Amino acid sequence: MATDKPIRIGVMGCADIARKVSRAINLAPNAVIAAVASRSLEKAKSFASANGYPESTKIHGSYESILEDPEADALYVPLPTSLHVEWAIRAAEKRKHILLEKPVAMNVAEFDKIVAACEANGVQIMDGTMWVHNPRTAKLKEFLSVPERFGQLKSAQSCFSLPGDENFLKNNIRVKPDLDGLGALGDTGWYAIRATLLANNFELPKTVTAFPGAVRNESGVILSCGASLSWEDGKTATIYCSFLADLAMDITAIGTKGTLRVHDYILPYKETEASFITSTKAWFNDLVTAWVDPPSEHTVKTASARSVYVGEIKNKGAKPDVFWPSISRKTQLVVDAVKESLDKNYEQISLSGR
Amino acid sequence: MATDKPIRIGVMGCADIARKVSRAINLAPNAVIAAVASRSLEKAKSFASANGYPESTKIHGSYESILEDPEADALYVPLPTSLHVEWAIRAAEKRKHILLEKPVAMNVAEFDKIVAACEANGVQIMDGTMWVHNPRTAKLKEFLSVPERFGQLKSAQSCFSLPGDENFLKNNIRVKPDLDGLGALGDTGWYAIRATLLANNFELPKTVTAFPGAVRNESGVILSCGASLSWEDGKTATIYCSFLADLAMDITAIGTKGTLRVHDYILPYKETEASFITSTKAWFNDLVTAWVDPPSEHTVKTASARSVYVGEIKNKGAKPDVFWPSISRKTQLVVDAVKESLDKNYEQISLSGR
């Protein structure tokens, strides 16, 4: 299905995260940056030059303008979450494929509108959860899927915390109710929830219950929270996300026969390789003084990670792949349920029928 | 305070766990096995010979008999939990120091009776949470206590799961309501709760809330469960325990400045050394393609662990140390609260005033 012509990406907004994604696009063999937009021409221009954009990149001084650009096959949208529903729909209506930063929307109702617009216009949508495209993630899924190595999942714990400094906690868009109003839940929690869903083969939980002890800022934006998720068959998971704690991004998934541990699932310690730890049927020696078959570490080369990041959209050709919006939607559903539980004093929220 | 005479231990019951503890006592320079009891003389005799007990060991054919043995300074009590309150009180009344297997009682009311008997008779009581005496645990506490390395705790996740086979799940005393009726919560959950309390400097949580999705056997004994714990200041923790999942025993503690990870906190992979992973103010490089100051592993020699296990009681001399029963009590309180939450359909349980 791959075509020879590289996909031409328009970058719609000059957020900090767009620097990293721009680099990824520049490194990808099958993608090229064709255009960039900001609300000011000046800002777009200096962003383009600071991030090594090609000379040919079209510079747009408004989001409306980049939507009309015939040179852009797809748009990367790192705008604040509250703007997603408007601009993603407008992009779809202009038949642009969309790489939408996470969280994809303020709630699943908004996202459903975006998906409807994409379907109506035959364009692919995919969210910005970059780590699922890392070659290591395929290895994690492989381990989790082999009955003799991992068995059936029983418990998954995932987290993503980062320490916001004074400036971040005061001024970052992710703590502003009118911009990224889902706060840490929508930002770092999105990844932790996605990790949990991935470990559960994307089966939605039956219930979601937030933990007591969530922290909000004075505007009510979530700075730190956690939740438990449960499935029909006694599987449980927990997620934890925070802007108030040290950098940590861990998955611990315990199955009936094996255990998986990842300490850097979102961004590997190194750019060129990534590790994970597995064990299968580890046990103790006779006198319980040491382990037999203790966990072992595995390393995956990740040199190609950056091209995979962008390539997924292009190689699907004309027919969009419904898998990507389906997992975005499930992630958003769980985000919404955690928020609902928090808003309802930690009530247990059922996801049946959602 | 140390005395030259070794402490003389009586082993009150021939449970499987007593094999390991017997070995520890034999290895300890400051302790000696003086007596062993079972409900049958034959069983006590064969246990003594199978576990390398000294020739001089007194063999008792009943628990009553070992209580009367003037050669035993202290009793190690690995009896089923439902028998603790009776036998620990009787031991205290005979002025025997007590090393009591965990969980210490079926509930904190029972444990309070045991502690009252110990106080009235001036004897030390300590529970069988052996890993807190491992030299590594002191290093973990050190890391957690240094403001510049770890800061203030924000989130702690701890677990202990093990896979019970068909025989275990049918016949083991830990799944029998009339023996170790607290099931996985009292057994593996005890350690996970203790780890959480340790990470919180033994401050009791404000609330405890069990997760939906707990699994019980047909007699109602807990085979798998989890809970969230919360403190006044936005600290949260989760515990997970199971007899239905692969062997896993992890602590992830995230502070404001650092993170601690331990994968084998209860029993290190190796007998002679134990590791843990720490990071302090880890962050990303400018383009967020790799970490700066990623976590690093530290190893502690643990050759002396086995003597520490037993020595603690002896070296306190005549005056019992109230620290040990106080942390047993706190652990039991949280066990009770998780059970109460499970019994009340995952209701949030307040620990205020307990």
Side-chain angles (χ1 to χ4, degrees), chain A residues 332-343:
Chain A
Q332 185 80 45
L333 264 179
V334 177
V335 166
D336 289 6
V338 175
K339 183 163 185 301
E340 186 180 345
S341 180
L342 289 170
D343 290 344

Side-chain angles (χ1 to χ4, degrees), chain A residues 49-217:
Chain A
S49 89
N51 288 282
Y53 281 16
E55 284 291 326
S56 57
T57 306
K58 285 218 192 147
I59 311 293
H60 297 274
S62 74
Y63 303 142
E64 286 84 355
S65 171
I66 199 171
L67 289 186
E68 304 293 340
D69 192 333
E71 304 280 308
D73 302 316
L75 292 175
Y76 168 59
V77 184
L79 298 173
T81 310
S82 59
L83 302 178
H84 285 189
V85 66
E86 176 188 351
W87 291 101
I89 289 174
R90 290 176 73 167
E93 288 170 352
K94 296 293 178 182
R95 300 195 181 260
K96 307 295 189 195
H97 300 287
I98 302 166
L99 179 62
L100 188 59
E101 260 309 332
K102 49 82 201 171
V104 288
M106 291 299 294
N107 53 60
V108 81
E110 281 190 2
F111 185 63
D112 285 346
K113 290 180 194 165
I114 295 171
V115 172
C118 291
E119 282 177 358
N121 292 282
V123 295
Q124 178 73 57
I125 181 162
M126 185 184 228
D127 71 45
T129 311
M130 71 295 186
W131 58 267
V132 301
H133 308 290
N134 189 298
R136 175 178 59 181
T137 305
K139 292 287 178 190
L140 305 183
K141 283 158 89 171
E142 184 187 312
F143 175 75
L144 294 169
S145 69
V146 177
E148 278 313 303
R149 295 179 72 195
F150 183 71
Q152 294 166 292
L153 182 77
K154 285 293 178 180
S155 168
Q157 291 144 45
S158 61
C159 67
F160 183 20
S161 59
L162 59 84
D165 61 15
E166 202 181 324
N167 180 46
F168 178 101
L169 294 174
K170 200 170 171 184
N171 300 316
N172 194 279
I173 64 163
R174 287 174 280 181
V175 300
K176 300 291 182 187
D178 53 337
L179 296 171
D180 278 343
L182 294 168
L185 174 60
D187 187 54
T188 61
W190 179 274
Y191 289 149
I193 290 167
R194 177 65 64 85
T196 293
L197 288 173
L198 186 140
N200 275 288
N201 205 20
F202 299 107
E203 187 192 332
L204 269 182
K206 186 183 161 194
T207 70
V208 171
T209 317
F211 301 154
V215 179
R216 296 178 187 250
N217 69 12

Side-chain angles (χ1 to χ4, degrees), chain B residues 33-34 48-49 52-59:
Chain B
I33 291 174
S49 87
Y53 281 16
E55 284 291 325
S56 56
T57 307
K58 282 216 192 151
I59 311 293

Side-chain angles (χ1 to χ4, degrees), chain B residues 39-350:
Chain B
R39 280 169 300 178
S40 102
L41 204 60
E42 228 19 72
K43 192 175 171 197
K45 202 176 288 180
S46 75
F47 188 86
S49 87
N51 289 280
Y53 281 16
E55 284 291 325
S56 56
T57 307
K58 282 216 192 151
I59 311 293
H60 296 273
S62 73
Y63 304 141
E64 285 84 355
S65 171
I66 199 171
L67 289 185
E68 303 293 340
D69 191 333
E71 302 283 306
D73 302 316
L75 292 175
Y76 168 58
V77 183
L79 298 174
T81 311
S82 59
L83 302 179
H84 285 190
V85 64
E86 176 188 351
W87 292 102
I89 289 173
R90 290 177 74 167
E93 287 169 353
K94 295 294 178 181
R95 302 197 180 259
K96 308 295 188 195
H97 301 287
I98 302 166
L99 179 62
L100 188 59
E101 260 309 330
K102 48 84 199 168
V104 288
M106 291 300 294
N107 52 61
V108 82
E110 281 190 2
F111 186 63
D112 284 347
K113 289 181 195 166
I114 294 172
V115 172
C118 290
E119 283 176 358
N121 291 283
V123 295
Q124 179 73 57
I125 182 163
M126 184 183 228
D127 71 46
T129 311
M130 71 295 185
W131 58 268
V132 302
H133 308 289
N134 189 298
R136 174 178 59 181
T137 305
K139 292 288 177 189
L140 305 183
K141 284 158 86 171
E142 185 186 311
F143 174 75
L144 294 168
S145 69
V146 177
E148 278 312 303
R149 296 180 71 196
F150 184 72
Q152 294 165 293
L153 182 76
K154 286 293 179 181
S155 169
Q157 291 143 46
S158 60
C159 67
F160 184 20
S161 59
L162 58 85
D165 60 15
E166 203 181 322
N167 180 47
F168 178 100
L169 294 174
K170 200 170 172 185
N171 301 316
N172 194 280
I173 63 163
R174 287 174 280 180
V175 300
K176 299 292 181 187
D178 53 338
L179 297 171
D180 279 345
L182 294 168
L185 173 61
D187 187 54
T188 60
W190 179 274
Y191 290 149
I193 291 167
R194 176 65 64 83
T196 293
L197 289 172
L198 185 141
N200 275 289
N201 206 19
F202 299 106
E203 188 192 331
L204 268 181
K206 186 183 163 195
T207 70
V208 171
T209 317
F211 301 154
V215 178
R216 296 178 187 250
N217 68 12
E218 54 197 13
S219 307
V221 175
I222 297 159
L223 301 180
S224 162
C225 71
S228 69
L229 292 70
S230 73
W231 284 257
E232 289 283 355
D233 50 356
K235 276 184 301 193
T236 60
T238 64
I239 62 109
Y240 171 72
C241 57
S242 181
F243 288 156
L244 303 174
D246 189 50
L247 184 65
M249 47 177 83
D250 290 55
I251 301 172
T252 305
I254 311 172
T256 48
K257 294 186 183 161
T259 301
L260 170 70
R261 294 174 184 87
V262 194
H263 296 314
D264 55 355
Y265 72 97
I266 297 163
L267 187 83
Y269 299 149
K270 299 177 186 177
E271 188 168 6
T272 52
E273 61 180 49
S275 297
F276 58 102
I277 300 166
T278 67
S279 57
T280 295
K281 294 187 180 176
W283 196 240
F284 306 126
N285 62 7
D286 181 51
L287 268 170
V288 194
T289 59
W291 291 45
V292 176
D293 297 326
S296 58
E297 190 167 10
H298 311 271
T299 300
V300 179
K301 296 285 172 200
T302 55
S304 64
R306 308 300 154 184
S307 70
V308 176
Y309 186 101
V310 171
E312 294 281 340
I313 294 175
K314 173 191 171 61
N315 295 320
K316 298 299 170 187
K319 199 167 161 57
D321 183 344
V322 296
F323 172 74
W324 298 108
S326 81
I327 63 171
S328 303
R329 186 178 193 277
K330 286 177 177 177
T331 312
Q332 185 80 45
L333 264 179
V334 177
V335 166
D336 290 6
V338 175
K339 183 164 186 300
E340 186 179 347
S341 180
L342 289 170
D343 290 343
K344 292 180 174 172
N345 197 29
Y346 312 110
E347 196 179 287
Q348 182 180 318
I349 306 300
S350 167

Side-chain angles (χ1 to χ4, degrees), chain A residues 246 250 255 259 261 267 269 291, chain B residues 246 250 255 259 261 267 291:
Chain A
D246 189 49
D250 289 55
T259 301
R261 296 175 182 86
L267 187 83
Y269 297 149
W291 291 46
Chain B
D246 189 50
D250 290 55
T259 301
R261 294 174 184 87
L267 187 83
W291 291 45

